[in-house]
Amino acid sequence: MSDRLSPSGRVAMNIPLRLALLLAIGWRVEARDLKFPNGFMMGASSAAYQVEGAWNTNGKGESIWDRLVHTQPSCIAQSQTGDVACDSYHKYKEDVKALKAIGFGYYRFSISWPRVLPTGDIANVNQDGVNYYNNLINELLANNIQPVVTMYHWDLPQHLQEFGGMSNNVFADYFEDYAYFLFSKFGDRVKWWITFNEPLSLVSGYMGDCFPPRVNSRRVGEYYVAHNLLMAHARAYHIYDKLFRTKQKGKIGISLNTEYAKPKSNSAADLEAVNRFLQFDLGWFAHPIFSSKGGYPPLMIERIANLSKAEGLRRSRLPNFSQAWIDLIKGSADFFGINMYTSKVVGAMQVTGLDDSSDMGHLTAEFDSSWPTSSVTWLRYTPFGMRGLLNWIHNEYGGNVPILVTENGWADSGNKTDTMRIRYYANYLASLLDAIYIDKIKVIGYVAWSITDNFEWSSGYT
Ligand SMILES: *[C@@H]1O[C@H](CO)[C@@H](O)[C@H](O)[C@H]1NC(C)=O
Ligand SMILES: *[C@@H]1O[C@H](CO)[C@@H](O)[C@H](O)[C@H]1NC(C)=O
Ligand SMILES: *[C@@H]1O[C@H](CO)[C@@H](O)[C@H](O)[C@H]1NC(C)=O
C-alpha cells in the first residue's frame, strides 16, 4: 500500500483520493444511508513501538520489544526491527498531516512507557520523552484532532521485566504510578485514555518463545499476568476518579480483542462452543470489568478449577479475586474498546470424558474457505463479523457502556490498486452502521488501523 515508500517504511497515502474512491465505489450490496451519527468519533490508530523508531534516542529506556528484536532476530520476519519504523518520533507532523488530510477527528496512539520513564518508575523522568508527547498532542489539537491515548501497548520497560514484569504483583503499583504520571502531565489535554491494548495478545509473552518476555509458562503464567493486568487497570481507573476526573473530565477504557465466532449451526452444541470460545477469549477480560456480577466468567472458573483438580493441583490455575477486588474491577471503564478484524466459524467437537485438550476445551474454529484471504494467515474478510461481535458484546454486558472500535483494518502485500482494503473498510463500516441503526447498539466511534505502513510485530514490514 505504498504511493511513496521511503526506506524506513513510511507511507504518505493519497488519502482524499482513497476516500473519494470508497464513496464512489460504495461497495454496498444495497443502497443505504452511509451517514454516521452526529459526534461519531472517526480516526486512525497506532502504537509507539510500531511507528516511533528512535528506540534509544535522547534518554529513552529499553523496552521488552527492543530486547526481543535485538536478541532474538529469528522471531521477526526477515529479522526486521522497530529501531526506525515510521520514524514518527521525528516525523509526527507528517502523521498529523495525513490524519488531517483524510478529515479524521481522532488519533489513537500509545505512549512508550520507557520513553517517558526509562526505568519504569516515576522517580526517573526522561524530559525529552515528555516533550515528544507534548509536541504530538499539541500538534494534533492545533489541527482539531483529539488524542486517544493508549498507556500500554506492549512495550514494557525492560528494567521492570528484570524482576518479573507483569507476572509480579507489584506491577499494579508501578502501573498506577505511571498512570498518575500520565494524567498529571497530559490529562489537561488528553480526554480519552485506554489502559491496556489487547490483553489476550500480550499474555502470549508467557505462553511461548517468540513474544516478549519469552516466558514459557503456558496454562499458568498467562493467568497471573491477566490477573495483575486487571488489577492494574482498575487502579489506574480509580486514581483517575479520585484525583483527576473532576478537573480533567476525561474518559478511561480498555481495548480488548477477539475474533467474532460465527456459529456453525444453531444446534445447542454449536452455540455452547461459540459461547465457550468468546468467554475464554473476550469474557476473560470483559466479564470482570463489564458484567453486572464481575469476576471471571463462571464457565472459565469452573472449567479451570475442574481441570486443575484433575491435574492433581490443590488450587485452580486461575487465580481467585477477593470480593473487594471483584468490586473494584467491576465497572472500571467508561467505554468498551474493541479491536476487531476477522471471524471464525465455531462449532462443537464431540469428546467423551474430561476434555483436557486445553482450558477452553475442544471445539472447531475455522475460516470458511469462501472468505477472501489477506497477506496474513490470521485475517480474512468477514464484514458481517463486525455487527455480530457488537451484538454479542451488547447482549452479554448490557447496553449501557458505549463501545469504541479501537482497531480494524486489512493487511496486504503492497497491492497498489488497494481494492480489497477499500472493500474491507466500506463493508465493515456498513456492518457497524447496521449495528447502530438496526440493532440500536451504542457505538460511539471507530479508529482504523492504521495511517502509516508500520512494524507489524513478528511480521516485521512484510
Ligand atoms: C466441573 O466438574 C463438575 C463435577 O464433576 C461437573 O458437574 C461440572 O459439569 C464440571 N464443569 C465444567 C464446566 O466442566
Ligand atoms: C474466592 O474468593 C471468594 C471471595 O473472597 C471466596 O468466597 C471463595 O471462597 C474463593 N474461592 C476459592 C476457591 O478460593
Ligand atoms: C491486487 O488487486 C487486484 C484487484 O483486486 C487483484 O486482482 C490482485 O489479485 C491483487 N494482487 C495481489 C498481489 O494481492
Side-chain angles (χ1 to χ4, degrees):
M1 48 171 271
S2 56
D3 297 318
R4 179 174 72 74
L5 184 61
S6 78
S8 71
R10 164 163 290 264
V11 173
M13 295 169 288
N14 188 338
I15 293 159
L17 178 67
R18 281 166 187 242
L19 192 62
L21 252 175
L22 187 149
L23 295 173
I25 299 170
W27 280 108
R28 296 307 317 278
V29 182
E30 54 201 79
R32 218 182 293 153
D33 191 356
L34 275 173
K35 258 205 212 138
F36 289 89
N38 280 338
F40 190 81
M41 302 162 66
M42 264 282 186
S45 191
S46 73
Y49 189 69
Q50 294 178 271
V51 304
E52 284 179 5
W55 78 276
N56 61 354
T57 302
N58 295 346
K60 178 182 165 292
E62 186 187 17
S63 78
I64 58 173
W65 269 91
D66 296 318
R67 177 64 63 94
L68 177 85
V69 301
H70 295 146
T71 60
Q72 308 292 327
S74 63
C75 285
I76 313 290
Q78 299 176 11
S79 302
Q80 289 161 336
T81 75
D83 288 359
V84 179
C86 302
D87 201 17
S88 290
Y89 176 79
H90 295 108
K91 299 182 177 172
Y92 65 93
K93 286 188 182 173
E94 283 185 36
D95 298 345
V96 177
K97 218 180 255 176
L99 291 158
K100 171 104 172 165
I102 201 170
F104 281 153
Y106 292 82
Y107 182 43
R108 172 180 179 238
F109 63 92
S110 82
I111 289 181
S112 161
W113 187 345
R115 189 179 295 289
V116 291
L117 303 173
T119 49
D121 65 81
I122 61 171
N124 179 16
V125 177
N126 179 31
Q127 190 54 42
D128 176 82
V130 175
N131 295 346
Y132 170 68
Y133 295 110
N134 273 331
N135 291 340
L136 172 57
I137 291 165
N138 293 343
E139 181 75 8
L140 287 166
L141 292 175
N143 285 279
N144 264 320
I145 299 168
Q146 299 303 313
V148 179
V149 175
T150 311
M151 302 178 190
Y152 188 93
H153 203 125
W154 306 356
D155 47 354
L156 184 76
Q158 178 64 33
H159 183 72
L160 296 185
Q161 191 58 49
E162 305 298 333
F163 54 97
M166 298 185 75
S167 68
N168 187 330
N169 63 14
V170 302
F171 174 75
D173 292 341
Y174 279 88
F175 189 78
E176 182 191 282
D177 293 350
Y178 169 54
Y180 173 92
F181 175 82
L182 297 184
F183 300 145
S184 310
K185 294 287 179 198
F186 308 117
D188 56 333
R189 288 152 295 153
V190 173
K191 303 302 164 191
W192 293 89
W193 294 100
I194 291 164
T195 53
F196 290 93
N197 179 71
E198 295 194 4
L200 180 70
S201 305
L202 74 85
V203 298
S204 58
Y206 287 78
M207 300 168 74
D209 294 326
C210 260
F211 199 97
R214 302 178 61 244
V215 176
N216 199 337
S217 56
R218 194 175 278 275
R219 295 178 94 167
V220 178
E222 68 266 41
Y223 296 125
Y224 280 91
V225 168
H227 208 65
N228 290 334
L229 181 153
L230 284 162
M231 293 192 285
H233 161 84
R235 294 266 299 268
Y237 183 87
H238 289 293
I239 197 101
Y240 190 75
D241 252 11
K242 208 170 133 194
L243 301 179
F244 299 94
R245 189 186 290 279
T246 316
K247 192 148 177 239
Q248 298 186 348
K249 298 184 173 59
K251 307 241 182 256
I252 308 191
I254 185 167
S255 288
L256 306 180
N257 66 302
T258 183
E259 296 161 315
Y260 172 58
K262 182 180 191 254
K264 195 166 187 175
S265 80
N266 280 329
S267 72
D270 285 345
L271 294 177
E272 186 280 332
V274 163
N275 182 55
R276 190 152 36 88
F277 179 96
L278 287 168
Q279 293 298 350
F280 271 78
D281 271 11
L282 185 61
W284 182 5
F285 302 98
H287 197 277
I289 299 173
F290 298 102
S291 71
S292 55
K293 273 197 70 183
Y296 292 118
L299 174 67
M300 201 171 169
I301 294 175
E302 207 180 302
R303 262 197 71 83
I304 299 173
N306 281 5
L307 290 167
S308 303
K309 197 170 162 195
E311 289 153 16
L313 294 168
R314 290 179 59 226
R315 59 182 67 83
S316 178
R317 286 182 282 99
L318 184 70
N320 195 20
F321 280 125
S322 67
Q323 192 56 49
W325 271 111
I326 290 175
D327 294 339
L328 273 172
I329 295 168
K330 193 176 66 182
S332 63
D334 304 315
F335 60 91
F336 191 129
I338 185 75
N339 295 357
M340 189 279 164
Y341 287 89
T342 196
S343 311
K344 289 272 174 67
V345 178
V346 172
M349 194 191 254
Q350 288 312 322
V351 284
T352 47
L354 183 76
D355 174 5
D356 61 356
S357 57
S358 70
D359 289 342
M360 185 192 284
H362 274 300
L363 47 74
T364 59
E366 294 156 349
F367 290 126
D368 184 305
S369 60
S370 72
W371 297 343
T373 55
S374 71
S375 61
V376 287
T377 53
W378 58 266
L379 172 56
R380 291 213 186 186
Y381 172 76
T382 64
F384 58 86
M386 177 61 83
R387 183 178 178 187
L389 184 59
L390 291 169
N391 270 274
W392 194 86
I393 293 170
H394 179 84
N395 294 336
E396 188 69 15
Y397 304 113
N400 292 330
V401 181
I403 303 172
L404 175 62
V405 176
T406 41
E407 284 183 30
N408 179 243
W410 184 250
D412 67 23
S413 42
N415 193 335
K416 284 204 157 73
T417 64
D418 228 10
T419 316
M420 265 311 290
R421 180 169 290 107
I422 295 166
R423 185 176 164 200
Y424 181 98
Y425 278 129
N427 279 320
Y428 274 67
L429 285 169
S431 179
L432 182 148
L433 287 176
D434 286 346
I436 293 177
Y437 292 124
I438 300 173
D439 309 326
K440 309 291 179 209
I441 298 177
K442 207 193 300 176
V443 186
I444 55 171
Y446 174 98
V447 285
W449 191 278
S450 185
I451 200 79
T452 50
D453 192 4
N454 54 55
F455 178 79
E456 181 54 28
W457 312 111
S458 58
S459 300
Y461 302 99
T462 63

